[in-house]
Amino acid sequence: MRKSNITHSTINQLKKAFVFGLCGIVFQSLQAQEQPADYVNPFIGTSNYGATYPGPIAPRGMASVSPFNVAGPQNPLEKDSQWLSNPYVNENTFLTGFSHVNLSGVGCPDLGVLLLMPTTGDLKTNHLEYGTTYKNEVAKAGYYSVDLDKYDTKVELTASEHVGVSRISFPEGKSNLLLNLGLGLTNEQGAMVKIISPTEIEGMRTVGSFCYNSPEDSYPVYFVAQFSMPAETFGVWNTPAKYDGVEAQWMGYNGKTRIMENATKTVAGDSIGTFFSYQFEKPETIEVKIGVSYVSIENARENLEKETQGKSFDDIYNETYNKWNNLLSRIKVEGGSQDDKTLFYTALYHTLIHPNMLNDVNGEYPEIKTGKIGKTIGTRYTVFSLWDTYRNLHQLMSLVYPEQQVDMVNSMIDMYDENGWLPKWELNSTETFTMVGDPASIVITDTYLKGIKDFNVEKAYEAMLKSADQIENNPLRPALKDYIEKGYLTTESKGPVSTTQEYNIADYAIALMAKALGKNDDYKRFYNRSLSYRTLFDNDWDLLRPRNADGSWYEPFDPDAGANFTENVGFIEGNAWQYAFMEPHDIKGLKKLMGGDKPFTAQLQKIFDADKFDMANEPDIAYPYLFNYVKGEEYRTQELVKALVRKHFKNTPAGLPGNDDTGTMSAWLVYSMMGFYPIIPGEPLYTITTPMFDKVTIQLNSKYYNKKELVIERVKNNDGHVKEILTKNKKNNSYFISHDDLIHSEIIKIIQE
C-alpha cells in the first residue's frame, strides 16, 4: 500500500479548516434565512382547496409557471371530474406539463394553458400517455424545481413579469419539448401556432369562460417561445374531432392525430401542439423562455426580449427574488417561531399576486368591452375579485403598498370609461359579474379617505353614483328598485338578504365619500339607505331573514340553510348565522336591535360555540373582532383570533382554511398576526388585538405618509390578555384607532397582563 505523506499536524489543520468552513456555511445559511423572501413557502394552500400553486411568478406578474397535475384519471382530484379552479393539487401525483398563465386562490376555473412538457424517447402527443409521476419538489419565491420520474429529467422554473422561464436538464439520448395548446384548466378550446425557426414558436390560445359561463366573452392569450438550443427535428400535431356517418368514410384522419414534421405554416385547431426533438450524445440543459401578452404576438415577443434577452435562468431568478424580497421587506417581524414567520411572509406573498398587471412592457393592454387597445403610463391591473378583497386586501395595499393601490383605483376608473361601469369581478378585461354587491365603491372610498387621492376623484364619484342610482339595466345592482323602495331585495331575487347587506355596505362607503367631498345631501341619503338591513331583522330569531315581495317573512325559515356553500333562499355562500353580524358600519344599531351589549355578546359567542363560524368564507371573517365593541369583552377577540390562526393556518399544503380568494384569507392572517384589523370596509378605522410577534415594523411610503415607519411592539408579562394600549406613550382609551392616528403614532405598544 502506498504510504501517505500527510502528517498528523496537517490532518488536524484540515479538520479545523473543515469545521470552520462548515460553521461558515451554516452561519451564511442562517443569515440568508433572515431575508423575508426566504420564509415564503408556496406549497401553503395547494391542498384543502386553497387553490394556490407552487410555481414561480414575479410580484403582480402576468406570466406564471405552474406544474399542471390536475389532468388524468390517475389523480384523485382531476379537473374534468369535479370543480377545480387550480392547475396543481398537492395530493395529486401525475403531471402533464407546466402552464404559463394561471390564477391563484380563485373559486372558479380559468387559464392554466400553454403547457410545456419535456419527455424522452419516442414522441407521444397524448398527455395521458406522456404524463409522469415526479419527486423532489422544491418551491421558493420565484423558483420551483422537480424531477420527472419517467424521463430522468429535472425541470427548474422561474419567471419575470411577462415571461415564464424553464431550465430543463435532459439525460443522454432522444428528448422532446412539447408545447400542448389543447390542454388547459377549462374545456375552452381554439389555438393557433406557427414555428418560426428551430428555436422559436409563436401563436395564441383562447381562454375565458370563468366559472364556465359567458363563453362568448372568450379571448386570446398570445405567446412567443424561444429555446436556447435549436431542435434537430420539429413539427406540429393536430388531433381533430371524430366524426360518424358518411363524412367519416372519406376522412382518413378522422379523430386521429396528424404529425406534421418541419411544418412552418400556421396551424389552427382545438387539440394542437408543437414538438422540438433532440438527440443528445451527453446530458444537456436547455432553457425555454415563453413571453405572453393579451394584445398581440408582437407584444409577447417584445415582452420576452426586453425582460429576458441576454439573461440566463439564474439572472432572471435573482432579479425576481430581489423584487419579492424588497416588497416583503416592507414589513419586518421580530420574535415568533420559524413557522410563524413562514405563515406571515407566505400570506403577504399571496396578497402580492393579484390583482396583477394586464399591460405589456410598452404599456398596451386590451380595453374592457371596446375591442380597442389602450395604453397606460402606470400599471393597468386586472383580476379584481372584489367581493372578497374589498374587506381587507385593498386596505393592506393602501397601508403598505399605496403606489400599487392607486394604480388599482386608476384601473377601475379606466374600466368605467371603457365599459360604463366600475368592475365587479373583472378578469383580463372581461367582466364576469361573479358574486353580488357593488364592491368597487367601497375600495375607492377607503383609498381616498386614507389620503391616497391621485386619481380622478370626481369621475370616480360619478361612477359610484351611477351604480348606486341607475335602476334600469344595472349589472352591478340588480333589483335596485326593490332595494330603494322597500329597503331590501325580496325572495324573487338571488340571495336577497346578503345582497341587501352588500348594497348597505356600499352605500355607507358612498356616504363617507360624499361627506368628504362636501356633498351633504348625498351623505344623508346614502347613510340612511345603508341602514335598511334593519327591515330584515327578526326579533324572534335575533337574525336577518328573507322577506317576500308582499313584505311577509319567507317560510319555512331555516337559519342553518346555506352552510358549506349549499344553495338556499336568502343568502349567497352562507347562512343566516354567517351573515347575522355583517353590518360592520352599524354595530351600535345592531346591538340596539338585539337588546344591548349582553344579548349581542351572547348571540355572537353562540356562533363560535355552536360551530357556525366559517373561517373559509368572507361574510363572517371579521366576527372575531366584533367583541371589541363591548367593553369588558375584548378578551374574547384576543383569544379567538389567536385560536383561529393556530387552528386554520399552518405551514403545510393544507395550511389555508379554504380558497385564498386572491389573497383575502392571507390578508386576514397578515393583519391578525400584526395585531390590528380594518373593521369597517370603506372607513379608515382599525381595531386592535394581541400581535403574534414581539415587534412589527411597517415601512411607510413617504409620498403618501409623512412618517418613515410604523412600529407595533408587544410587551409580554405573562402572555395574557391586553392590559394597556399605548400610542405615542399615551394610553389609548379604546381598542380602536383611526388610520391617521395609526400612521402618526410612530410606535404602538400593546402591553399584556
Side-chain angles (χ1 to χ4, degrees):
M1 186 175 71
R2 184 177 177 182
K3 186 177 181 180
S4 172
N5 292 322
I6 299 177
T7 64
H8 287 291
S9 175
T10 303
I11 291 172
N12 287 333
Q13 288 177 348
L14 289 171
K15 285 181 177 179
K16 288 181 180 179
F18 174 76
V19 170
F20 281 122
L22 183 61
C23 289
I25 292 170
V26 171
F27 178 71
Q28 289 176 354
S29 176
L30 290 173
Q31 278 189 317
Q33 284 298 313
E34 292 176 358
Q35 295 300 316
D38 294 320
Y39 290 106
V40 173
N41 177 9
F43 285 115
I44 293 175
T46 59
S47 183
N48 193 35
Y49 297 95
T52 65
Y53 55 81
I57 184 173
R60 308 284 181 207
M62 177 188 291
S64 58
V65 197
S66 174
F68 194 93
N69 72 355
V70 294
Q74 297 91 331
N75 289 319
L77 293 168
E78 201 266 339
K79 72 181 185 71
D80 292 326
S81 62
Q82 60 180 290
W83 186 276
L84 271 182
S85 59
N86 40 309
Y88 174 95
V89 176
N90 190 261
E91 295 93 321
N92 287 351
T93 59
F94 186 74
L95 187 146
T96 55
F98 302 90
S99 50
H100 280 69
V101 283
N102 303 282
L103 295 171
S104 175
V106 298
C108 288
D110 204 349
L111 305 187
V113 295
L114 308 182
L115 268 69
L116 181 72
M117 181 66 183
T119 68
T120 62
D122 293 336
L123 176 68
K124 296 183 185 302
T125 61
N126 185 322
H127 66 276
L128 297 179
E129 296 179 1
Y130 66 65
T132 177
T133 57
Y134 51 93
K135 60 178 177 290
N136 299 332
E137 291 183 279
V138 175
K140 300 182 285 188
Y143 176 89
Y144 173 88
S145 68
V146 66
D147 293 337
L148 306 184
D149 292 334
K150 186 185 291 187
Y151 305 118
D152 190 25
T153 296
K154 181 175 184 177
V155 178
E156 297 173 275
L157 309 173
T158 190
S160 65
E161 283 82 0
H162 298 86
V163 186
V165 185
S166 305
R167 181 165 62 190
I168 303 161
S169 300
F170 287 105
E172 175 186 342
K174 184 178 180 181
S175 296
N176 311 286
L177 279 168
L178 313 179
L179 186 60
N180 191 330
L181 301 177
L183 186 61
L185 194 54
T186 68
N187 293 322
E188 187 69 52
Q189 292 185 313
M192 178 273 288
V193 68
K194 182 179 181 181
I195 297 177
I196 303 301
S197 74
T199 60
E200 186 170 318
I201 307 167
E202 68 181 28
M204 59 76 69
R205 170 59 149 86
T206 299
V207 290
S209 299
F210 185 69
C211 282
Y212 290 106
N213 62 25
S214 303
E216 66 279 1
D217 290 331
S218 60
Y219 53 94
V221 54
Y222 301 95
F223 70 91
V224 170
Q226 294 181 350
F227 302 77
S228 63
M229 184 180 296
E232 296 175 24
T233 59
F234 57 82
V236 179
W237 80 79
N238 188 354
T239 306
K242 186 174 182 179
Y243 293 87
D244 297 319
V246 176
E247 191 175 15
Q249 296 178 13
W250 51 265
M251 292 175 63
Y253 54 88
N254 185 29
K256 298 177 181 178
T257 299
R258 287 179 286 172
I259 303 294
M260 294 164 273
E261 292 188 359
N262 301 317
T264 55
K265 295 180 181 180
T266 299
V267 176
D270 290 333
S271 298
I272 66 173
T274 67
F275 60 90
F276 275 31
S277 297
Y278 305 83
Q279 183 67 48
F280 296 131
E281 301 300 324
K282 59 182 178 59
E284 292 282 2
T285 298
I286 295 180
E287 291 188 6
V288 182
K289 299 173 181 177
I290 300 181
V292 297
S293 165
Y294 291 99
V295 173
S296 66
I297 289 173
E298 292 74 21
N299 278 16
R301 183 175 285 106
E302 184 181 9
N303 290 341
L304 189 156
E305 291 174 351
K306 287 193 173 180
E307 289 183 357
T308 67
Q309 193 171 50
K311 297 176 183 177
S312 68
F313 179 95
D314 290 330
D315 293 334
I316 298 163
Y317 165 56
N318 288 333
E319 286 181 2
T320 298
Y321 170 87
N322 288 333
K323 288 174 183 176
W324 275 118
N325 200 52
N326 288 337
L327 285 175
L328 296 172
S329 295
R330 295 268 185 102
I331 306 179
K332 296 284 182 67
V333 297
E334 300 174 38
S337 66
Q338 186 85 0
D339 276 354
D340 287 339
K341 291 175 180 175
T342 296
L343 288 173
F344 181 84
Y345 283 114
T346 304
L348 190 58
Y349 164 88
H350 281 143
T351 68
L352 291 165
I353 293 177
H354 298 307
N356 58 275
M357 62 183 62
L358 180 65
N359 60 285
D360 296 322
V361 294
N362 61 11
E364 293 182 345
Y365 64 90
E367 292 185 353
I368 187 168
K369 287 293 182 183
T370 69
K372 299 177 182 178
I373 302 302
K375 193 162 188 175
T376 182
I377 297 174
T379 300
R380 168 63 174 245
Y381 282 103
T382 185
V383 188
F384 283 97
S385 179
L386 291 168
W387 183 84
D388 307 295
T389 59
Y390 85 76
R391 303 167 199 268
N392 56 27
L393 184 136
H394 288 284
Q395 291 87 328
L396 183 65
M397 296 304 106
S398 290
L399 178 63
V400 188
Y401 309 100
E403 72 285 356
Q404 294 185 8
Q405 177 61 19
V406 75
D407 272 355
M408 293 176 192
V409 170
N410 278 314
S411 296
M412 294 183 197
I413 297 170
D414 287 343
M415 291 174 196
Y416 170 69
D417 274 341
E418 297 160 14
N419 190 34
W421 299 96
L422 290 170
K424 189 170 190 174
W425 209 127
E426 178 274 348
L427 168 59
N428 291 339
S429 277
T430 60
E431 179 51 74
T432 70
F433 294 114
T434 304
M435 300 307 294
V436 297
D438 182 13
S441 298
I442 304 167
V443 173
I444 293 170
T445 296
D446 186 87
T447 306
Y448 180 82
L449 294 180
K450 287 187 169 124
I452 304 168
K453 301 179 180 181
D454 35 354
F455 57 90
N456 190 329
V457 177
E458 286 300 325
K459 182 172 286 187
Y461 188 70
E462 170 193 303
M464 293 158 69
L465 289 187
K466 181 180 179 182
S467 65
D469 284 338
Q470 182 172 315
I471 292 177
E472 299 297 330
N473 301 315
N474 187 332
L476 297 183
R477 296 204 193 194
L480 186 60
K481 188 173 187 289
D482 278 344
Y483 173 74
I484 292 174
E485 293 180 355
K486 301 175 183 294
Y488 58 89
L489 274 68
T490 74
T491 51
E492 295 175 356
S493 298
K494 181 180 179 182
V497 178
S498 49
T499 305
T500 298
Q501 292 173 280
E502 295 288 357
Y503 291 178
N504 282 175
I505 296 170
D507 282 345
Y508 181 73
I510 295 172
L512 294 178
M513 190 73 162
K515 187 176 183 180
L517 297 177
K519 302 177 187 294
N520 292 327
D521 288 343
D522 282 351
Y523 166 71
K524 293 175 184 177
R525 180 163 67 95
F526 284 104
Y527 178 74
N528 289 333
R529 274 173 49 165
S530 77
L531 306 180
S532 71
Y533 78 92
R534 296 176 181 179
T535 62
L536 298 175
F537 187 81
D538 186 346
N539 289 289
D540 292 337
W541 291 86
D542 274 353
L543 295 171
L544 304 186
R545 68 183 284 191
R547 285 186 182 273
N548 299 312
D550 63 3
S552 62
W553 293 119
Y554 172 79
E555 296 284 0
F557 176 56
D558 178 4
D560 292 320
N564 300 315
F565 302 96
T566 56
E567 290 288 334
N568 71 100
V569 174
F571 303 92
I572 299 289
E573 291 193 5
N575 61 21
W577 296 103
Q578 289 149 10
Y579 276 94
F581 293 83
M582 203 188 78
E583 294 76 43
H585 60 292
D586 190 41
I587 294 300
K588 290 182 180 179
L590 182 62
K591 285 198 292 183
K592 187 175 181 180
L593 287 174
M594 290 184 170
D597 285 349
K598 287 187 177 179
F600 172 89
T601 301
Q603 185 80 327
L604 183 58
Q605 187 63 50
K606 180 179 179 179
I607 290 176
F608 295 97
D609 293 344
D611 197 26
K612 299 180 186 298
F613 176 75
D614 185 2
M615 186 71 248
N617 208 19
E618 277 66 24
D620 61 359
I621 58 175
Y623 286 13
Y625 288 96
L626 297 182
F627 291 104
N628 281 353
Y629 281 96
V630 182
K631 191 171 181 60
E633 305 293 345
E634 299 93 345
Y635 74 93
R636 297 178 191 262
T637 286
Q638 297 155 38
E639 292 178 354
L640 273 169
V641 171
K642 186 175 181 179
L644 290 168
V645 169
R646 295 304 183 209
K647 178 180 179 180
H648 293 287
F649 298 89
K650 300 181 185 300
N651 185 15
T652 65
L656 288 176
N659 194 299
D660 196 36
D661 290 320
T662 65
T664 304
M665 291 297 157
S666 289
W668 186 94
L669 180 64
V670 169
Y671 270 123
S672 296
M673 296 188 83
M674 291 195 297
F676 62 105
Y677 193 78
I679 192 64
I680 305 175
E683 185 170 338
L685 180 72
Y686 305 95
T687 192
I688 296 171
T689 188
T690 312
M692 301 187 74
F693 298 102
D694 295 334
K695 185 177 181 181
V696 178
T697 303
I698 302 173
Q699 177 187 333
L700 298 176
N701 185 322
S702 60
K703 179 180 178 180
Y704 299 97
Y705 305 124
N706 60 11
K707 299 293 183 182
K708 289 185 177 180
E709 61 184 27
L710 165 67
V711 177
I712 302 166
E713 283 190 0
R714 177 180 65 177
V715 182
K716 293 197 315 185
N717 292 324
N718 297 313
D719 199 21
H721 299 133
V722 174
K723 177 183 179 183
E724 198 171 35
I725 300 168
L726 300 179
T727 56
K728 294 184 179 179
N729 289 319
K730 295 181 181 178
K731 184 176 180 180
N732 200 68
N733 292 320
S734 78
Y735 281 79
F736 297 88
I737 185 169
S738 72
H739 178 76
D740 283 345
D741 286 344
L742 181 83
I743 61 174
H744 287 99
S745 293
E746 294 186 2
I747 184 167
I748 297 174
K749 290 187 178 181
I750 299 176
I751 302 170
Q752 294 178 265
E753 294 175 336

